[in-house]
Amino acid sequence: MSTYQTPESKKEEFRKYLEKSGVIDSLTKVLVGLYEETDRPPNAADYIKRSMGAPAGVDVEAIRKENEEMKKRIKELESTVEELNKSLKEARGESK
């Protein structure tokens, strides 16, 4: 049986998870750094991303699309390898 969790208990559990994993401290440091900037950056989200280690100017959607295409290509290649291995086994079996 699963226990019922109220939305408040789910929020609290998630907050504890973020705190335990260090996310809250990291975000706090970045936000304090942004607050202390004398010259406010034009794009606060980019500032936060850079501060958290994300490379600038990355098209995430393009990377996701490429990743999906690569996964499909890998499946195709794995299938080809499987077919070639099967053919090789058959050829070896016939020559013996």
Side-chain angles (χ1 to χ4, degrees):
M1 285 186 164
S2 63
T3 59
Y4 176 75
Q5 285 187 314
T6 65
E8 285 302 315
S9 66
K10 285 182 180 180
K11 286 179 188 178
E12 181 62 21
E13 183 179 316
F14 187 67
R15 188 196 62 74
K16 286 180 182 179
Y17 161 74
L18 293 176
E19 188 174 331
K20 185 176 182 180
S21 61
V23 172
I24 292 176
D25 287 339
S26 295
L27 286 173
T28 300
K29 288 176 185 175
V30 171
L31 292 173
V32 168
L34 177 60
Y35 176 78
E36 292 175 346
E37 281 286 327
T38 54
D39 297 325
R40 299 273 187 236
N43 188 330
D46 283 345
Y47 174 89
I48 293 169
K49 288 176 188 176
R50 279 193 316 275
S51 296
M52 298 296 289
V58 174
D59 185 354
V60 174
E61 275 308 309
I63 292 172
R64 284 188 179 135
K65 183 178 177 185
E66 181 183 13
N67 188 33
E68 288 303 313
E69 291 170 359
M70 294 294 114
K71 286 179 181 179
K72 288 177 186 175
R73 181 70 178 136
I74 287 170
K75 285 184 181 186
E76 292 170 3
L77 292 171
E78 287 173 340
S79 177
T80 301
V81 166
E82 190 175 312
E83 290 172 16
L84 290 171
N85 281 331
K86 184 178 178 183
S87 297
L88 181 61
K89 285 180 183 179
E90 289 174 1
R92 285 182 179 168
E94 294 174 2
S95 65
K96 289 184 178 181

